[in-house]
């Protein structure tokens, strides 16, 4: 039953994506950024709705959702005030921003619902200072506004490591991974793959975006940093994605064994 519901939810999301493309998109390549954002929103929404019904949060990492909430809030500061990092596709005007707002709401509500877990090794404050410093010194300048440029790239750097506490928690728990938890990780992994595809063709624009107002010490490296950050996130989730696909192929729940 849960497997069938899983398929139904994914089919519903795919149909919604097609409708958004047909009725709201101008058909530009940057639509894939809106697609990535929508997939991320779907993952957060799935988790929030499920735990609201079941009241079960034991398999979720509170630290991951705190990190994600920081990243989403920082990016919203950037994209709600400037348009430098919005998709040039027509969906960048409203749909993309709506997905980001919904993701933040779902993420914050979920974070408040999850209890602290003593098994969690990685805390959010391990990542935030490092990502802030990195964003301060290496950021692009598409907004021509230092604070909002830093906010945008901080969000990207932060998201790249945000999934690590969740992956680590999987190694400390034994048993079946709930569908909403595994789907959340999968949506984050798909989000990063799509973003890598986009920035592979666009990262040089970030390297050339600096002007006299930037305080970045190495703006010409920002595109490379963005690509590396996205790749790190993909590497972190690779083993989990492989096990997820194996369980999906066999039609059985995903089971994790403690390390």
């Amino acid at each position: 039953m849960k497997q069938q519901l899983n398929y139904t939810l994914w089919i519903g999301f795919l149909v919604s994506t097609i409708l958004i493309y047909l009725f709201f998109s101008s058909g530009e390549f940057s639509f894939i950024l809106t697609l990535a954002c929508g997939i991320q929103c779907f993952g957060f929404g799935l988790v929030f709705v499920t735990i609201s019904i079941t009241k079960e949060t034991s398999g979720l990492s509170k630290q991951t959702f705190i990190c994600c909430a920081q990243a989403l809030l920082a990016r919203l500061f950037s994209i709600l005030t400037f348009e430098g990092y919005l998709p040039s596709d027509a969906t960048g005007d409203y749909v993309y921003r709506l997905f980001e707002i919904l993701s933040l709401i779902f993420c914050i509500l979920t974070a408040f619902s999850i209890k602290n877990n003593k098994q969690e090794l990685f805390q959010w404050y391990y990542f935030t200072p490092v990502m802030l410093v990195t964003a301060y010194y290496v950021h692009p300048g598409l907004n021509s506004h230092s604070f909002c440029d830093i906010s945008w790239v901080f969000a990207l750097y932060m998201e790249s490591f945000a999934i690590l506490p969740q992956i680590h928690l999987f190694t400390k728990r034994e048993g079946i991974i709930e569908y909403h938890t595994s789907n959340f990780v999968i949506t984050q992994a798909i989000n990063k793959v799509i973003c890598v595809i986009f920035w592979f063709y666009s990262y040089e624009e970030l390297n050339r975006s600096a002007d006299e107002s930037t305080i970045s010490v190495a703006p010409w490296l920002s595109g490379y940093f963005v690509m590396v950050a996205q790749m790190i996130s993909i590497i972190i989730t690779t083993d989990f994605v492989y096990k997820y696909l194996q369980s999906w192929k066999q039609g059985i729940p995903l089971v994790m064994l403690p390390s």
Side-chain angles (χ1 to χ4, degrees):
M1 179 65 71
K2 288 185 176 181
Q3 186 81 330
Q4 292 177 345
L5 178 60
N6 188 39
Y7 292 148
T8 301
L9 290 171
W10 276 102
I11 291 172
F13 172 75
L14 290 174
V15 171
S16 300
T17 300
I18 292 172
L19 292 175
I20 289 173
Y21 181 79
L22 292 175
F23 291 100
F24 296 97
S25 173
S26 55
E28 297 185 34
F29 175 64
S30 61
F31 172 77
I32 68 171
L33 277 184
T34 302
L35 173 61
C37 187
I39 292 173
Q40 183 182 53
C41 183
F42 171 69
F44 284 121
L46 179 62
V47 170
F48 172 69
V49 171
T50 303
I51 66 173
S52 297
I53 296 172
T54 64
K55 309 301 180 183
E56 176 59 47
T57 64
S58 59
L60 293 168
S61 167
K62 188 181 187 72
Q63 301 306 314
T64 282
F65 282 86
I66 292 175
C67 289
C68 287
Q70 292 180 61
L72 290 164
L73 183 61
R75 184 158 53 243
L76 278 174
F77 274 124
S78 176
I79 67 173
L80 291 181
T81 52
F82 292 92
E83 300 182 353
Y85 300 97
L86 289 175
S88 57
D89 184 79
T91 53
D93 294 334
Y94 300 106
V95 178
Y96 181 86
R97 285 165 163 160
L98 177 61
F99 281 150
E100 288 286 342
I101 292 171
L102 290 175
S103 292
L104 178 60
I105 293 172
F106 291 143
C107 185
I108 291 176
L109 293 176
T110 301
F112 277 115
S113 301
I114 303 173
K115 297 179 180 179
N116 289 317
N117 191 328
K118 294 182 179 180
Q119 290 182 312
E120 292 210 59
L121 172 64
F122 297 100
Q123 304 296 310
W124 65 266
Y125 47 80
Y126 294 175
F127 305 102
T128 303
V130 177
M131 300 308 144
L132 275 174
V133 171
T134 305
Y136 181 86
Y137 285 109
V138 183
H139 61 265
L142 290 179
N143 282 334
S144 297
H145 186 283
S146 293
F147 178 77
C148 289
D149 286 322
I150 292 171
S151 294
W152 180 84
V153 82
F154 164 76
L156 189 144
Y157 294 159
M158 193 69 172
E159 279 182 336
S160 297
F161 291 89
I163 201 65
L164 185 58
Q166 181 67 69
I167 297 297
H168 178 264
L169 185 60
F170 286 150
T171 67
K172 299 300 179 182
R173 300 183 70 252
E174 181 177 5
I176 295 175
I177 304 298
E178 293 293 338
Y179 281 115
H180 64 277
T181 306
S182 58
N183 279 331
F184 167 71
V185 177
I186 291 300
T187 56
Q188 304 310 300
I190 296 174
N191 169 277
K192 294 300 177 290
V193 170
I194 296 175
C195 287
V196 163
I197 294 172
F198 176 82
W199 289 115
F200 177 78
Y201 292 100
S202 310
Y203 73 93
E204 290 185 354
E205 182 179 354
L206 298 178
N207 293 339
R208 298 192 299 263
S209 62
D211 57 25
E212 294 79 6
S213 65
T214 185
I215 57 175
S216 176
V217 299
W220 58 90
L221 294 177
S222 55
Y224 299 113
F225 270 60
V226 164
M227 286 295 295
V228 170
Q230 303 282 358
M231 291 301 299
I232 288 174
S233 182
I234 293 174
I235 292 171
I236 290 172
T237 57
T238 297
D239 182 64
F240 179 86
V241 171
Y242 173 76
K243 293 176 181 177
Y244 176 91
L245 293 175
Q246 289 293 104
S247 66
W248 177 80
K249 182 179 179 181
Q250 298 172 23
I252 60 175
L254 176 61
V255 178
M256 299 293 286
L257 299 176
S259 60

